[in-house]
């Protein structure tokens, strides 16, 4: 978002608005409502994400197709409260006992 703004992309305003107030997921409160997420951060090199390699995709749709590469990003900044799937795994170095669900 910021990169497109700095580069003066004509697509910036149409696709991203002004991006003011965008926060890293680690700066958002953790979610504890028991509701499963409907989107997940997806890294894709096949055009799924417009203007970036990472975007929000409906859960279950971030799968490789037709030779393209896609995978669910686990960067904590992409999850509310920084609670990524690894945060729930007690044997993973990113485990966080304060995370009760993926944000």
């Amino acid at each position: 978002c910021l990169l497109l703004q700095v580069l003066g992309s004509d697509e910036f305003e149409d696709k991203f608005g002004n991006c003011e107030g965008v926060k890293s997921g680690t700066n958002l409160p953790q979610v504890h409502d028991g509701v499963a997420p409907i989107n997940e951060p997806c890294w894709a090199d096949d055009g799924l994400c417009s203007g970036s390699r990472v975007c929000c995709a409906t859960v279950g749709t971030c799968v490789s197709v037709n030779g393209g590469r896609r995978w669910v990003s686990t960067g904590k900044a992409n999850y509310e409260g920084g609670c990524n799937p690894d945060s729930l795994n007690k044997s993973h170095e990113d485990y966080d006992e304060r995370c009760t669900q993926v944000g």
Side-chain angles (χ1 to χ4, degrees):
C1 181
L2 182 58
L3 178 61
L4 287 175
Q5 188 175 27
V6 169
L7 295 176
S9 171
D10 293 335
E11 297 179 34
F12 177 78
E13 192 67 35
D14 292 336
K15 295 187 181 205
F16 300 102
N18 60 17
C19 289
E20 290 181 26
V22 175
K23 294 182 179 182
S24 167
T26 56
N27 293 325
L28 297 172
Q30 293 177 344
V31 179
H32 302 285
D33 61 8
V35 177
I38 58 172
N39 293 316
E40 59 191 356
C42 182
W43 186 98
D45 72 351
D46 62 359
L48 173 71
C49 303
S50 179
S52 174
R53 294 246 176 162
V54 179
C55 62
C56 288
T58 302
V59 170
T61 64
C62 186
V63 294
S64 297
V65 293
N66 298 327
R69 294 178 301 159
R70 296 181 185 175
W71 60 82
V72 176
S73 169
T74 58
K76 288 179 167 275
N78 296 323
Y79 293 86
E80 291 174 271
C83 294
N84 66 6
D86 295 333
S87 300
L88 305 178
N89 180 348
K90 288 183 179 182
S91 65
H92 195 278
E93 65 184 55
D94 283 341
Y95 174 71
D96 185 340
E97 65 185 18
R98 297 168 301 165
C99 292
T100 59
Q101 69 184 68
V102 172

